[in-house]
Amino acid sequence: MKNKPVLYIIIPCYNEEKVLPITAPLFKQEIMKLINRNIISVKSKIMFVNDGSKDQTWNILCELAKKDDCFLGISQSRNRGHQNAVLAGLMESKDQCDITISIDCDGQDDINAMDSMVEEYLKGNEIVYGVRSRRDTDTFFKRFTAESFYKLLNWMGVEVIYNHADYRLISSRVLQEFANYKEVNIFLRGMVPLVGFKSTIVYYERHERIAGESHYPLSKMLSLAFDGITSLSIKPIRMITGVGFVIAVLSFIGVLWSFVEYFIGETVNGWASMTSLICFIGGVQLLCLGILGEYIGKIYLEVKARPRYIISDRTYTKTTICEEENK
């Protein structure tokens, strides 16, 4: 059995002033339960990542850290999105702990599933994915679109875990290797499996949001889905090539047919058919250009290599496990 690992729970926060007073004690209760079970170190912490909140979220996090050294907080210089906030917490904690568990702040993910995640780590798994056992709390539209999204990603060749979001345990060993992935366009649930290492799944039930409102509307969900496809798969480009080839063949056949009709004297002036043909080919061309433009735009962002996150403030002095052991 491994030595008791230092656990950091990574929690991204964006305008969570209503839910933090409720969920912060629940996270503290869970980490104390794991410590009392003697399966994690007493040095384990809860790290909140403030993603440029506009309300009192950061002030609440500072108060939590001031009253209890179990709580840590870092604040991004501006809002950069959920994926970048999770990444910031993972990268900032990878030298300070043995394992991390990332989870949302709203209390929808079952906090008690952390017990099983740590147990699976102690059995030798470096990554433990939290997977929803069912989607009863979702509307039909959200359930249908989410499940279709996972199926679409798998069809596109993206390696994702079905019904897994960003609730997962990752060892520091994996994070050290993951730090070598320098993409600016981040889709963690598709990137983490690329690192490899032994992994497993823990199933849990997802609940209703405890308080406040969701900060992930349909527009952001669609944006995340498109980022996931274009960041990790080139299949859309290959599909464009296939569609272009088919249209080229059909166009060539159409040209031959028009010549035959012309020479046998049965040509008819067909404005409607010509207009339909032009609109169809024009629409396909514009769609293909749009998809190619998305890839070119991502290349543009990657080449600039701007920082994926910037920490403007923190509630603690950053140290490493090695530094603490040498004290």
Side-chain angles (χ1 to χ4, degrees), residues 29-293:
Q29 179 181 340
E30 175 63 21
I31 210 167
M32 292 306 300
K33 181 175 70 173
L34 292 171
I35 291 174
N36 291 333
R37 286 186 58 194
N38 208 32
I39 61 175
I40 65 171
S41 170
V42 293
K43 296 179 180 178
S44 299
K45 306 286 184 181
I46 300 168
M47 176 182 283
F48 292 99
V49 184
N50 177 41
D51 188 25
S53 299
K54 298 178 181 178
D55 60 4
Q56 295 299 310
T57 294
W58 179 241
N59 292 333
I60 294 173
L61 296 180
C62 290
E63 286 298 316
L64 287 171
K66 187 183 298 183
K67 294 178 181 178
D68 192 333
D69 59 5
C70 178
F71 294 110
L72 304 176
I74 58 176
S75 182
Q76 297 209 86
S77 59
R78 58 180 290 272
N79 177 254
R80 294 179 182 271
H82 178 271
Q83 297 291 283
N84 293 74
V86 175
L87 178 71
L90 295 176
M91 293 298 101
E92 290 292 303
S93 63
K94 64 182 173 62
D95 296 321
Q96 304 176 61
C97 64
D98 299 302
I99 52 175
T100 63
I101 294 179
S102 57
I103 185 172
D104 288 342
C105 183
D106 54 21
Q108 287 187 282
D109 296 322
D110 185 8
I111 298 175
N112 295 313
M114 292 185 189
D115 297 59
S116 300
M117 288 182 172
V118 175
E119 289 170 358
E120 290 296 335
Y121 167 75
L122 294 175
K123 292 177 183 177
N125 293 288
E126 302 283 351
I127 305 174
V128 184
Y129 299 101
V131 174
R132 296 178 62 171
S133 57
R134 55 185 181 178
R135 286 183 169 272
D136 295 347
T137 58
D138 291 346
T139 62
F140 170 78
F141 176 76
K142 186 173 182 179
R143 182 169 59 253
F144 174 76
T145 53
E147 292 178 348
S148 299
F149 169 59
Y150 286 109
K151 293 176 181 177
L152 176 62
L153 282 178
N154 283 318
W155 182 72
M156 288 285 184
V158 180
E159 186 180 351
V160 292
I161 307 299
Y162 189 72
N163 273 338
H164 163 69
D166 288 295
Y167 187 18
R168 68 179 75 85
L169 178 149
I170 308 179
S171 71
S172 59
R173 181 186 177 194
V174 174
L175 289 177
Q176 296 295 338
E177 299 300 328
F178 187 73
N180 295 320
Y181 287 68
K182 304 297 183 181
E183 289 98 324
V184 174
N185 300 280
I186 302 169
F187 184 67
L188 293 175
R189 67 190 73 173
M191 293 172 65
V192 172
L194 295 177
V195 185
F197 292 94
K198 187 178 179 181
S199 64
T200 189
I201 290 173
V202 166
Y203 291 95
Y204 70 95
E205 292 188 12
R206 188 171 170 88
H207 311 296
E208 296 287 347
R209 184 182 177 90
I210 291 179
E213 299 178 354
S214 173
H215 304 296
Y216 232 73
L218 179 61
S219 59
K220 285 190 176 182
M221 292 175 63
L222 291 174
S223 177
L224 179 65
F226 209 74
D227 282 343
I229 294 172
T230 55
S231 297
L232 296 165
S233 174
I234 61 170
K235 196 164 185 177
I237 292 181
R238 290 177 177 170
M239 290 172 60
I240 289 175
T241 303
V243 170
F245 177 77
V246 171
I247 291 177
V249 171
L250 292 176
S251 299
F252 181 71
I253 293 173
V255 170
L256 293 178
W257 173 77
S258 64
F259 272 104
V260 171
E261 290 292 303
Y262 174 77
F263 284 113
I264 64 177
E266 296 185 4
T267 55
V268 177
N269 294 328
W271 177 87
S273 59
M274 183 62 69
T275 302
S276 300
L277 183 62
I278 292 173
C279 291
F280 171 72
I281 294 177
V284 170
Q285 288 177 332
L286 289 174
L287 175 62
C288 294
L289 285 174
I291 295 175
L292 290 172

